[in-house]
């Protein structure tokens, strides 16, 4: 299958932490991103966070307002939604890349 180069823009700090995370697992950041892109469509929470065009994220109305009545700021994620009950058959989730707990200083 033909492969394509993709350019993304992320904060330097996130880039460094993600590279360290990948290196600790003897892989590359490209492989991590590829696996995430392959996996995201199968994740129910991803479908909630990134609804199909014309649909609205859970907890928001058509104007992009949280149902609690606060406007979402452009570029800001929607208000956090309660986590669904854990699926006992699912493997434990990996820690998020943005967490700094337990990471050595860069």
């Amino acid at each position: 299958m033909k492969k394509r180069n993709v350019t993304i823009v992320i904060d330097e700090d996130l880039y460094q932490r993600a590279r360290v995370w990948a290196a600790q697992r003897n892989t590359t950041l490209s492989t991590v991103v590829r696996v995430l892109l392959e996996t995201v469509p199968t994740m129910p929470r991803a479908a909630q966070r990134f609804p199909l065009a014309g649909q609205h994220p859970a907890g928001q109305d058509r104007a992009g307002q949280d149902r609690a009545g606060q406007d979402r700021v452009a570029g800001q994620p929607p208000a956090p939604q309660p986590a669904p009950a854990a699926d006992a058959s699912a493997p434990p989730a990996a820690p998020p890349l943005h967490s700094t707990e337990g990471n050595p200083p860069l």
Side-chain angles (χ1 to χ4, degrees), residues 45-96:
R45 288 193 68 185
Q48 292 172 351
R49 173 70 188 232
F50 301 101
L52 296 173
Q55 294 180 350
H56 308 289
Q60 293 183 355
D61 64 16
R62 279 181 254 160
Q65 277 192 331
D66 291 332
R67 291 202 179 117
Q70 296 181 347
D71 287 328
R72 243 185 33 179
V73 176
Q76 295 292 322
Q81 301 296 316
D87 180 359
S89 65

Side-chain angles (χ1 to χ4, degrees), residues 4 9 20 39 41 47 56 58 61-62 77 79 88 94 100:
R4 297 200 55 140
V9 178
V20 168
T39 305
H56 308 289
D61 64 16
R62 279 181 254 160
T100 56

Side-chain angles (χ1 to χ4, degrees), residues 22-56:
Q24 290 170 336
R25 288 154 178 83
N26 198 30
T27 191
T28 65
L29 196 50
S30 290
T31 299
V32 171
V33 170
R34 181 182 49 78
V35 168
L36 287 172
L37 290 174
E38 290 171 347
T39 305
V40 164
T42 66
M43 300 170 67
R45 288 193 68 185
Q48 292 172 351
R49 173 70 188 232
F50 301 101
L52 296 173
Q55 294 180 350
H56 308 289

